[in-house]
Amino acid sequence: MAFKHIILFEQKQIACVSRRRCRARMGMTLIYSIIAISALFALISLAVDLGRVQLVKTELQRAADAAARYGASGVSQSNSVAVARAVAAAADNQVDGSSVVIQNSDVQVGYWGGSPATFTSGGLPNNAVRVTARRVASRGNPVPLLFARVLGLSSCNVSAVSIASVSSSSTPYAFVGISQVTMSGNSDSDSYNSNNGPYSAGSAGSEGSIGSNGDVNLTGKSNIHGDVHPGPSGSLTQGNKVTISGSTSNLTSPMNFSNVDASPYASSNNNSNIPSQFITNGDLKVNSNKSLTIPAGTYYFNDVTFNGNSDVSITGAVTIYVTGNFTMSGHADTNLNLPSNFKIRVQGAGSVKIAGSTDLYADIYAPEADITVSGTGDLFGDAVGDTLKITGNGSLHYDKSLSNSSSGGTQLISMVK
């Protein structure tokens, strides 16, 4: 009898172990099933949700392209017109079944150019519009996801950026005095393109044009290889020793140039690259018989003065923002003799005075300041000022890789997805 009980006890033990093993196998099966279902949902999400996101991205890019193109067509009128046109064009497009809404802050009016070409907002003549179209959570309109919710993803942010530039349909202006241009020296004006090599007098171009929204007075002995255009109601005074190869008709509408905003560089600049003995109270000054090397970077000063017999070496791509006056009577050696490597940007109604006896390669933009060029060295690059006065004997050579034109058609030149 005792033996029988032992057998029954052992059978119960075996049955119990078997049930535990069964429950363990069932538990593992459940875990594997959960993993498999999660993986299946992930694959479905990849096929369905990703497809929807890609479709939205494509539609959003098309809307941004259209907005940038139409916005750029208004650059020649004003920044507000360009922004309004971009916003309106975006609304004419639909993304994921609803109209595209962009805010004014999504539209930047600026400049597209340089080598390599980049978009710059502020500090250069406007010729481009950059539009950013967004479907993001912060705007309350992200792309909703369906199957990915199982994985904890309920939406996806999508953005599209497009830049449209104004393509010039006429000869750009090499040298501009927005209010007035006066040339009384013996300065010729022509053009070249530094992208194609250094300047050569034998192959100089005929795009050394001069423009103003006001009067243009040419009383020296000059050969202008290009157009000379006074403003819509301005007049042209041409001395009997002045020759002009191109058109002298009045502009049909004023040129539009944005003012320089140097404030972003007041606290973010590379001034520390310059030895402290050259900087006093925010001014940069290089005295006679002194030498200064300025490496690549962006710099911010009140006044900048390079006195006679000083020697300044620009060793990279340098942009100098000035909130006061820029005065140069010394020597400046620009890296590779490329005007794009020495950008002078003047904020406000200061002055720019160039009186050196050696050649200067520079891109000068000071739309509220008076520019005076009285040196005997040639100026390679371009110059935009409120007034432009040329009294020296050095010639002017417009580098066509720099663009001042704010008229013409539009072209889509950059898409960033």
Side-chain angles (χ1 to χ4, degrees):
M1 192 68 179
F3 179 73
K4 182 179 180 180
H5 284 300
I6 292 173
I7 294 174
L8 290 174
F9 177 76
E10 289 180 349
Q11 289 176 343
K12 289 180 180 180
Q13 288 290 93
I14 293 172
C16 183
V17 171
S18 178
R19 285 195 297 271
R20 285 200 299 269
R21 289 177 178 174
C22 183
R23 285 196 296 269
R25 286 195 297 269
M26 291 177 63
M28 291 302 296
T29 301
L30 180 60
I31 293 174
Y32 292 144
S33 298
I34 292 173
I35 294 174
I37 292 173
S38 298
L40 180 61
F41 271 108
L43 291 174
I44 295 174
S45 173
L46 182 65
V48 178
D49 290 334
L50 181 59
R52 183 178 187 179
V53 169
Q54 289 298 328
L55 177 61
V56 169
K57 183 179 290 187
T58 299
E59 293 176 335
L60 202 62
Q61 188 67 60
R62 290 174 181 171
D65 293 347
R69 282 183 183 276
Y70 190 44
S73 70
V75 166
S76 62
Q77 298 184 42
S78 68
N79 289 6
S80 59
V81 170
V83 172
R85 288 186 178 183
V87 172
D92 289 338
N93 290 267
Q94 287 198 339
V95 171
D96 204 23
S98 60
S99 296
V100 178
V101 178
I102 63 174
Q103 302 175 3
N104 288 357
S105 59
D106 296 326
V107 184
Q108 290 82 45
V109 181
Y111 172 80
W112 175 266
S115 180
T118 57
F119 181 86
T120 304
S121 180
L124 287 166
N126 293 336
N127 73 345
V129 168
R130 178 173 61 191
V131 174
T132 304
R134 297 178 172 89
R135 287 286 302 268
V136 295
S138 60
R139 298 281 178 89
N141 64 348
V143 182
L145 303 178
L146 181 60
F147 294 100
R149 293 176 183 271
V150 177
L151 304 177
L153 301 174
S154 61
S155 64
C156 178
N157 292 335
V158 177
S159 298
V161 180
S162 185
I163 303 172
S165 172
V166 178
S167 59
S168 174
S169 61
S170 60
T171 302
Y173 304 107
F175 302 96
V176 175
I178 298 173
S179 297
Q180 186 180 55
V181 173
T182 301
M183 291 183 66
S184 58
N186 299 321
S187 299
D188 293 342
S189 178
D190 56 22
S191 64
Y192 75 112
N193 192 326
S194 63
N195 289 334
N196 300 329
Y199 172 81
S200 172
S203 59
S206 58
E207 294 176 304
S209 300
I210 295 171
S212 175
N213 288 338
D215 298 335
V216 177
N217 301 309
L218 308 178
T219 59
K221 183 180 179 181
S222 301
N223 297 310
I224 308 300
H225 299 278
D227 298 340
V228 176
H229 293 294
S233 59
S235 62
L236 169 63
T237 300
Q238 181 179 349
N240 56 14
K241 295 183 178 181
V242 175
T243 63
I244 301 172
S245 67
S247 170
T248 59
S249 61
N250 288 67
L251 296 175
T252 58
S253 60
M255 293 177 288
N256 178 42
F257 296 98
S258 60
N259 295 330
V260 173
D261 180 12
S263 59
Y265 310 100
S267 57
S268 178
N269 54 62
N270 301 108
N271 287 11
S272 59
N273 289 341
I274 296 178
S276 59
Q277 64 264 32
F278 293 102
I279 303 176
T280 304
N281 297 326
D283 297 337
L284 173 63
K285 186 174 183 179
V286 184
N287 290 320
S288 298
N289 302 316
K290 297 294 183 180
S291 298
L292 171 65
T293 297
I294 303 180
T298 300
Y299 301 86
Y300 175 94
F301 301 104
N302 298 323
D303 292 338
V304 173
T305 304
F306 300 154
N307 283 322
N309 296 322
S310 63
D311 190 1
V312 177
S313 180
I314 308 296
T315 60
V318 168
T319 300
I320 296 181
Y321 284 90
V322 181
T323 59
N325 304 313
F326 182 95
T327 304
M328 179 174 175
S329 57
H331 170 71
D333 183 16
T334 302
N335 183 48
L336 301 177
N337 284 341
L338 295 177
S340 59
N341 280 336
F342 189 17
K343 294 182 173 65
I344 301 169
R345 304 288 179 257
V346 180
Q347 172 184 297
S351 66
V352 177
K353 297 180 180 180
I354 308 296
S357 60
T358 56
D359 295 344
L360 173 63
Y361 293 78
D363 174 10
I364 305 171
Y365 186 74
E368 298 178 277
D370 297 325
I371 299 179
T372 301
V373 181
S374 58
T376 58
D378 290 358
L379 174 61
F380 296 81
D382 64 356
V384 175
D386 179 50
T387 64
L388 178 62
K389 186 176 183 180
I390 310 295
T391 63
N393 295 324
S395 293
L396 310 176
H397 310 291
Y398 171 54
D399 182 357
K400 293 190 294 183
S401 70
L402 310 169
S403 175
N404 295 326
S405 179
S406 58
S407 62
T410 60
Q411 57 177 336
L412 192 68
I413 43 79
S414 177
M415 290 188 297
V416 183
K417 300 181 180 181

